[in-house]
């Protein structure tokens, strides 16, 4: 094969970008080379680093700098607003690419067996996090008029949600939270 190996990566979160980085560092990348197109459903790259990390986590958000270094390589092209299964099919991909890597991540809440979870005013963390991170597929309105909120869980996301809810507007001004 005298042309570069052509690879499509579906998903531009950390896993997809690290896959591109690994492919460029592989022995096959030297001769005849590798050409990588990263196809992303969202308009911007970085997956949950962009749309799932609390805006007051600058250290975690700093990972974006490393990911940008990979995206800026000559062998890598980024195409946003491209949804696998809707805009492009597997057959179409294999018409143009030698390999396809899926790195689509997790972007929804896991169903929990908690009584009352389906009641009005009960929301999964993914929906709230997507809202405060400005994920474009989620509504821009959120009712913040309630004085009391119960957050179920003690994991990283629960702590992020609790911390964001406990901050004042002035405290959030120094973060990357959308207007």
């Amino acid at each position: 094969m005298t042309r570069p190996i052509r690879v499509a990566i579906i998903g531009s979160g950390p896993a997809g970008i690290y896959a591109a980085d690994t492919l460029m560092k592989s022995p096959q990348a030297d001769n005849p080379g590798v050409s990588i197109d990263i196809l992303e459903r969202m308009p911007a790259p970085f997956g949950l680093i962009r749309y799932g990390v609390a805006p007051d986590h600058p250290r975690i958000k700093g990972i974006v700098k490393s990911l940008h270094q990979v995206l800026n390589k000559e062998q890598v092209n980024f195409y946003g607003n491209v949804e696998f299964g809707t805009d492009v099919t597997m057959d179409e991909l294999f018409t143009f690419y030698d390999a396809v890597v899926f790195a689509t991540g997790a972007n929804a809440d896991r169903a929990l067996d908690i009584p009352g979870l389906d009641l009005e005013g009960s929301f999964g963390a993914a929906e709230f996090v997507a809202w405060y991170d400005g994920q474009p597929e989620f509504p821009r309105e959120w009712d913040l008029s309630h004085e009391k909120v119960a957050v179920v869980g003690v994991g990283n996301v629960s702590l992020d949600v609790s911390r964001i809810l406990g901050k004042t507007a002035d405290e959030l001004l120094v973060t990357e939270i959308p207007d």
Side-chain angles (χ1 to χ4, degrees), residues 6-12 15-20 23 36-39 84 90 93-94 97-104:
R6 295 199 30 102
V7 179
I9 298 177
I10 311 301
S12 68
I17 294 176
Y18 290 144
L23 285 166
I36 301 166
D37 290 343
I38 299 177
L39 310 177
F84 176 77
M90 186 63 88
L93 289 173
F94 278 120
Y97 299 98
D98 301 304
V100 178
V101 175
F102 285 87
T104 54

Side-chain angles (χ1 to χ4, degrees), residues 14-178:
I17 294 176
Y18 290 144
D21 189 44
T22 300
L23 285 166
M24 288 185 291
K25 292 175 180 173
S26 71
Q28 294 82 7
D30 292 333
N31 189 10
V34 64
S35 173
I36 301 166
D37 290 343
I38 299 177
L39 310 177
E40 171 59 50
R41 178 176 58 89
M42 301 303 298
F46 312 131
L48 289 178
I49 296 292
R50 179 182 300 273
Y51 297 118
V53 174
D56 63 342
H57 269 312
R59 189 173 56 83
I60 299 298
K61 294 274 191 177
I63 293 170
V64 168
K65 291 177 186 171
S66 297
L67 300 177
H68 261 297
Q69 290 176 355
V70 176
L71 284 182
N72 290 337
K73 300 281 184 176
E74 183 179 312
Q75 306 97 306
V76 179
N77 297 298
F78 172 81
Y79 299 99
N81 289 319
V82 178
E83 185 168 0
F84 176 77
T86 301
D87 300 314
V88 64
T89 66
M90 186 63 88
D91 287 341
E92 290 170 327
L93 289 173
F94 278 120
T95 300
F96 300 102
Y97 299 98
D98 301 304
V100 178
V101 175
F102 285 87
T104 54
N107 61 356
D109 291 313
R110 186 179 58 183
L112 300 175
D113 187 19
I114 299 174
L117 197 63
D118 58 342
L119 294 175
E120 183 179 339
S122 178
F123 302 95
E127 193 174 339
F128 186 64
V129 170
W131 171 76
Y132 70 56
D133 275 337
Q135 209 261 32
E137 292 181 333
F138 284 80
R140 299 309 323 138
E141 301 83 34
W142 197 275
D143 181 5
L144 298 175
S145 64
H146 301 284
E147 292 184 21
K148 295 181 181 182
V149 175
V151 177
V152 178
V154 293
N156 289 336
V157 175
S158 299
L159 296 174
D160 285 350
V161 166
S162 298
R163 197 179 58 257
I164 291 296
L165 285 170
K167 290 195 175 195
T168 66
D170 286 341
E171 290 172 317
L172 291 170
L173 283 175
V174 297
T175 72
E176 294 181 0
I177 199 163

